[in-house]
Amino acid sequence: MESHCRDEPKGPVLHIVVVGFHHKKGCQVEFSYPPLMPAEGHDSPLLPEEWRYLPFLALPDGAHNFQEGRPHEESFMVSFLYTVFFHLPPLSEDRKCVYGVSCYRQIEAKALKVRQADVTRETVQKSVCVLSRVPLYGLLQAKLQLITHAYFEEKDFSQISILKELYDHMNGSLRGSALEGSQVYLGLSPRDLILHFGHKILILFKLILLEKKVLFYVSPVNRLVGALMTVLSLFPGMVEHGLVDSSHYRPKSSASEDPTLVESVSGAEAFVSVSATDIPAAAGAAEGSDRLLKPPSRGSPESSESDWETLDPGVLEEGPKEAGEGKEAEPADAFDPEPGTPITVQPQPAGGQGGVVQGLVSGLEEDQYGLPLPIFTKGYLCLPYMALQQHHLLSDVAVRGFVAGATNILFRQQRHLSDAVVEVEEAGVHIQDPELRKAVSLTTADLRFADYLVKHVTENRDDVFLDGTGWEGGDEWIRAQFTLYLHSLLSSALQQDNERLLADYGVPFVTAWKITHNYRVWFGNKHPAMAAITPGHPFQGQYSVADVKLRLSHSVQNSERGKKFGNAMMTTSRSMVQTGKAVGQSVGGALTSAKSAMSSWFSTLAPPVAVTAAEPPEPAAEVQPMN
């Protein structure tokens, strides 16, 4: 390891880095404090080999396309700041992920007070980047945006004192900060995500639980990283403690071309899969123990799945025969709603779950329920933003899966390298494998859960002052609902004869989930706190007409046939409207002409005015003869 790896800074912020775009050399590091290479100076462009992609991550592809705006209006460009989150491989001996937050923008070259000789273009592009030990994305972004704005306002990029002050300030203010509460989730809004994705948010949740290759795509990059990290924030404890092993990769063109890769990180064999010698050893130690729950005394509710969903409980694996042996205490019903009201569960915020301890098998800091699940371990990567230079990681044999974000269309075009492509702009989730589509499809209980979230998020949105400020429908409430969903799933997996309980989550999904690394590691450990969680889907229950309507609505909106049917209906509707207008115009014109012609014809045939004879004058009074 290089000497720079042994110099361990004391604070949470490792480096402040400035990356610029050179017209000949491309993206390169222009300044770093402390120096990225201790033997070099602050202005050295040299990088540790593990961080060779840093310039391309800090200054994303097509950054200029979203900052040009109206170049003649300088004030407009000054206010334009874009942010990107990214992960770097570890350098230090603790082998933990390095979290990067970068703010980038561009400025007109003619506006600079000091114009350096290598500035040959009309605009100058730069980014200010923070490399941190802690995943405080939103908090780092808020501080960094202010400093980046001030740095560009100087219009003299040789003034680096403000960057050194930023380093000292961040390390002073963040030192000892606990990774919990609102600091971690600042800027990550599940409420906005549900408003955009609707029921599909639960499909994304299931895809990640299955440790599939999930690629998020959208431009610009700030929308990309925001959506991806918000999805991960739905997993309890994931952002705080579950990403420390999420960036263990080597910057090589291909793992197959590098025979030394087997010696990197934890070894290629450990990356590719969890071998049979890893988990059974830990699971065997737990056999016969009292860690598994005894089925509750009350009969488990019947499965809410029916034949029309083609869920066969027999497909599920048999629960361990040792489960529950010697168990005396019955689990407490922490969430035991009335049978008729399965959707009124109100879990408490996740902050009251107690402290965290080091997991014996996962190596992560876990709470009393064994969360976060060890998803991003053993070669399963989390890369909020991938530069084009990292494209080889999609097919690297040492990478068993990933949740990654990209803005370059080349990533989206090569769909065969991903199991699912998430089109953030159109809120689409594209899955080619029919078996995977079946595994992550939403059951009726899932649809109730997703619809429950959507309704609570969308109600009362007309009041702009109260929107999102209450507990129900707010960001923390949404995370609490997903925590309940995951707790119930894990509790159901511990039960004997749990086929009916797990059927509400989907038999194909549960079957696929039980062979994942995260499930096998979690199942191989003891989690006594799970005894307080009531097994079964929180939205289980009998079918109703509302469920049929919900299923039809979801199918029409999300299935390919439904989309085609919907498009055909829209096309037909538009055609009918256009045809109706055309027919109306032509028929209406003809009727108008006919009406005017008839009016003129009738005017010629109008009956003559009746001539009334003049009344004869009253006869004169008869003159009586005089006698």
Side-chain angles (χ1 to χ4, degrees):
M1 190 67 66
E2 301 286 345
S3 61
H4 62 272
C5 301
R6 295 192 291 267
D7 295 337
E8 286 296 323
K10 300 295 183 180
V13 174
L14 301 175
H15 301 277
I16 302 294
V17 181
V18 175
V19 175
F21 181 81
H22 193 274
H23 66 285
K24 292 183 178 179
K25 301 177 182 179
C27 297
Q28 65 176 8
V29 172
E30 298 180 345
F31 169 82
S32 60
Y33 180 81
L36 294 174
M37 305 288 287
E40 304 293 334
H42 294 289
D43 57 351
S44 172
L46 298 181
L47 291 167
E49 179 62 22
E50 294 87 345
W51 290 357
R52 60 182 296 185
Y53 302 130
L54 171 58
F56 310 104
L57 295 170
L59 199 59
D61 295 334
H64 60 283
N65 294 333
F66 298 96
Q67 289 185 303
E68 290 293 347
R70 292 165 287 182
H72 59 280
E73 294 188 16
E74 183 181 347
S75 59
F76 176 85
M77 297 186 65
V78 167
S79 62
F80 241 97
L81 289 174
Y82 284 89
T83 307
V84 57
F85 307 150
F86 57 89
H87 293 166
L88 292 175
L91 296 181
S92 59
E93 296 300 329
D94 60 6
R95 315 303 300 168
K96 292 185 178 180
C97 172
V98 175
Y99 308 95
V101 179
S102 175
C103 286
Y104 64 95
R105 57 156 295 193
Q106 67 181 13
I107 190 173
E108 289 183 321
K110 65 181 182 181
L112 295 175
K113 296 178 180 178
V114 178
R115 181 168 180 170
Q116 299 175 351
D118 58 352
V119 177
T120 60
R121 297 192 174 188
E122 295 182 355
T123 57
V124 178
Q125 301 175 37
K126 292 186 185 296
S127 67
V128 180
C129 173
V130 174
L131 303 183
S132 172
R133 300 169 178 270
V134 292
L136 298 174
Y137 304 97
L139 186 61
L140 295 175
Q141 174 186 354
K143 293 177 178 291
L144 188 58
Q145 283 183 335
L146 296 175
I147 298 300
T148 304
H149 177 81
Y151 182 57
F152 273 77
E153 279 295 284
E154 292 285 342
K155 297 182 175 61
D156 181 4
F157 296 121
S158 63
Q159 301 296 324
I160 59 176
S161 59
I162 190 174
L163 302 178
K164 295 181 179 180
E165 293 174 1
L166 172 64
Y167 175 82
D168 296 333
H169 167 72
M170 283 190 168
N171 275 323
S173 61
L174 299 179
R175 192 184 305 274
S177 298
L179 289 179
E180 59 185 21
S182 58
Q183 286 187 343
V184 175
Y185 300 125
L186 182 64
L188 305 179
S189 175
R191 179 181 177 85
D192 295 338
L193 199 68
I194 289 179
L195 289 173
H196 186 63
F197 279 94
H199 296 171
K200 297 176 185 177
I201 191 67
L202 190 53
I203 296 178
L204 298 179
F205 191 83
K206 284 189 165 185
L207 279 171
I208 297 175
L209 273 178
L210 295 182
E211 299 176 353
K212 294 301 180 181
K213 298 179 178 180
V214 184
L215 179 70
F216 286 71
Y217 175 84
V218 74
S219 291
V221 70
N222 57 315
R223 294 183 57 195
L224 172 73
V225 297
L228 189 151
M229 293 308 303
T230 303
V231 173
L232 296 186
S233 73
L234 300 177
F235 291 82
M238 184 63 71
V239 177
E240 299 97 312
H241 308 294
L243 301 177
V244 293
D245 295 331
S246 64
S247 61
H248 283 176
Y249 64 86
R250 289 289 299 274
K252 299 295 182 180
S253 58
S254 174
S256 60
E257 298 174 3
D258 183 15
T260 64
L261 187 61
V262 294
E263 301 177 2
S264 66
V265 190
S266 301
E269 293 181 359
F271 271 137
V272 175
S273 64
V274 182
S275 64
T277 60
D278 286 345
I279 303 308
E287 290 183 0
S289 66
D290 60 353
R291 68 175 178 80
L292 298 178
L293 295 178
K294 178 181 178 181
S297 57
R298 61 180 175 83
S300 299
E302 293 296 325
S303 170
S304 62
E305 299 307 313
S306 65
D307 295 336
W308 66 290
E309 287 190 15
T310 65
L311 294 179
D312 181 13
V315 178
L316 281 174
E317 299 176 357
E318 293 293 333
K321 296 182 179 180
E322 303 86 349
E325 291 184 3
K327 186 75 175 180
E328 296 180 358
E330 294 184 1
D333 290 341
F335 305 106
D336 190 13
E338 300 266 338
T341 57
I343 63 172
T344 57
V345 177
Q346 296 296 332
Q348 297 300 315
Q353 297 177 357
V356 295
V357 296
Q358 193 76 16
L360 297 177
V361 180
S362 67
L364 305 177
E365 294 185 0
E366 302 173 351
D367 64 10
Q368 56 186 336
Y369 304 104
L371 301 177
L373 291 174
I375 295 175
F376 295 101
T377 58
K378 298 292 184 180
Y380 191 79
L381 304 181
C382 174
L383 303 174
Y385 171 69
M386 288 185 69
L388 184 60
Q389 290 76 8
Q390 294 177 299
H391 184 269
H392 68 279
L393 293 177
L394 300 184
S395 56
D396 197 324
V397 296
V399 175
R400 65 183 179 91
F402 54 81
V403 176
T407 59
N408 196 299
I409 195 173
L410 294 179
F411 287 92
R412 185 182 64 173
Q413 290 176 343
Q414 297 185 339
R415 295 178 181 268
H416 63 284
L417 298 179
S418 305
D419 295 319
V421 177
V422 182
E423 299 275 1
V424 178
E425 179 70 31
E426 61 186 38
V429 181
H430 305 287
I431 303 173
Q432 294 184 347
D433 183 10
E435 293 299 324
L436 180 57
R437 284 201 302 268
K438 182 179 179 181
V440 299
S441 61
L442 302 184
T443 64
T444 296
D446 285 342
L447 284 175
R448 292 172 183 166
F449 172 72
D451 193 59
Y452 179 64
L453 297 178
V454 172
K455 286 182 178 179
H456 275 71
V457 167
T458 55
E459 66 182 6
N460 299 326
R461 295 192 65 241
D462 294 336
D463 192 333
V464 295
F465 296 103
L466 299 179
D467 182 27
T469 59
W471 163 246
E472 288 194 5
D475 291 337
E476 292 303 318
W477 179 87
I478 294 171
R479 293 190 181 97
Q481 300 297 325
F482 275 94
T483 299
L484 170 64
Y485 182 93
L486 188 56
H487 281 176
S488 302
L489 172 61
L490 294 171
S491 179
S492 301
L494 294 176
Q495 303 302 307
Q496 285 182 321
D497 303 323
N498 55 8
E499 288 84 357
R500 288 185 178 274
L501 294 175
L502 291 174
D504 284 319
Y505 297 93
V507 172
F509 167 75
V510 174
T511 304
W513 177 54
K514 282 190 173 184
I515 62 175
T516 61
H517 171 73
N518 71 82
Y519 173 81
R520 294 164 68 184
V521 171
W522 182 89
F523 190 78
N525 273 340
K526 297 180 181 180
H527 309 292
M530 291 302 300
I533 304 299
T534 302
H537 200 295
F539 287 77
Q540 61 189 349
Q542 299 299 324
Y543 284 99
S544 65
V545 177
D547 293 326
V548 178
K549 293 180 179 179
L550 186 60
R551 169 67 61 182
L552 292 175
S553 174
H554 176 74
S555 300
V556 169
Q557 293 177 10
N558 297 283
S559 66
E560 294 299 327
R561 289 184 178 180
K563 291 178 181 178
K564 293 179 180 179
F565 179 77
N567 292 335
M569 290 292 293
M570 292 179 63
T571 303
T572 303
S573 177
R574 285 195 298 265
S575 300
M576 292 182 65
V577 171
Q578 294 174 357
T579 303
K581 289 182 178 179
V583 171
Q585 292 175 355
S586 59
V587 173
L591 290 175
T592 302
S593 301
K595 184 178 179 180
S596 59
M598 293 294 293
S599 299
S600 59
W601 183 67
F602 273 110
S603 62
T604 59
L605 299 179
V609 178
V611 179
T612 56
E615 294 183 2
E618 293 183 1
E622 184 177 356
V623 178
Q624 298 295 333
M626 300 289 297
N627 292 330

